[in-house]
Amino acid sequence: MHVAIPLYPRFTALDAVGPYTVLGFAPGVTVTFVAAAPGPVTDDLGGLTLTATGAYAGLPHPDVIVVPGGPGTAEAMRDPQLRDWLVAARPRWTTSVCSGSLVLAAAGLLRGRRATSHWAVRDALAGFGAEPVEQRVVTDGPVITAAGVSAGIDMALTLLARLRDDETAQTVQLAIEYAPDPPFTAGSPRSAPPGLAERALTLIR
């Protein structure tokens, strides 16, 4: 089982690394970071660089694709190499984290499907023919989309249960001790204190 995670400049690190960790722990699963050409790709904060060890051309038909989001999404949506690869790959599962769903939508892969994204850009999915859904993880056919950043771990566990079984996903969840118990309830615009959404937007745009 081969999972490909495409990297592009100014991706959000946890969007890629969260699913990478979950899926990489699973027996029989290989995860490869890919890009137009192998080499280093720097994240949105500028302090972390991941290495794409493969190229799109070298992995034309992975079993799973996980597209991360980040401030670089706008450029990624216009990247013809990434778009063409996404369309031609026809993996068993196509997935995204955060604004990575906009990359899928721009490639025409979410038309007529329910999907989610980061709350700040979720409604933009409608402009590509998708149905925006306010959920942490949305599965529609062979496509799974996740809400913002940390939801990528939830998405990867959901995907792993589909790829293997619930027990395997639960085993990985325990191995990485994923038992969220945040100190605040400010994780969504609905539960955050008034005015916090505006401040949060200044951090991600």
Side-chain angles (χ1 to χ4, degrees):
M1 180 68 62
H2 209 143
V3 178
I5 303 179
L7 300 178
Y8 53 85
R10 301 174 68 225
F11 70 96
T12 294
L14 186 56
D15 288 10
V17 174
Y20 165 79
T21 300
V22 170
L23 298 171
F25 262 86
V29 177
T30 299
V31 185
T32 301
F33 291 117
V34 297
V41 185
T42 302
D43 79 332
D44 54 346
L45 300 179
L48 178 66
T49 296
L50 296 182
T51 300
T53 56
Y56 301 143
L59 193 57
H61 300 294
D63 299 292
V64 178
I65 292 175
V66 180
V67 180
T73 295
E75 290 77 16
M77 291 167 67
R78 297 190 294 267
D79 181 346
Q81 289 179 284
L82 175 55
R83 182 188 62 239
D84 292 350
W85 177 71
L86 289 171
V87 171
R90 299 187 181 278
R92 179 178 170 191
W93 290 97
T94 299
T95 74
S96 66
V97 182
C98 195
S99 58
S101 59
L102 290 176
V103 178
L104 297 182
L109 299 175
L110 298 184
R111 192 172 295 114
R113 296 189 183 278
R114 300 166 66 253
T116 193
S117 194
H118 191 285
W119 56 266
V121 298
R122 185 174 56 235
D123 289 345
L125 291 170
F128 296 94
E131 178 187 343
V133 178
E134 187 181 349
Q135 290 178 200
R136 194 158 172 84
V137 177
V138 175
T139 302
D140 188 326
V143 178
I144 307 178
T145 54
V149 192
S150 63
I153 297 175
D154 300 62
M155 184 281 293
L157 288 168
T158 300
L159 172 64
L160 184 54
R162 299 293 187 95
L163 292 174
R164 293 291 186 257
D165 50 55
D166 288 356
E167 184 176 0
T168 298
Q170 290 169 347
T171 301
V172 170
Q173 180 180 1
L174 180 58
I176 66 173
E177 199 171 350
Y178 182 58
D181 186 19
F184 308 107
T185 59
S188 79
R190 286 182 288 103
S191 60
L196 206 62
E198 289 74 16
R199 290 186 62 184
L201 286 173
T202 67
L203 301 178
I204 59 177
R205 288 182 172 172

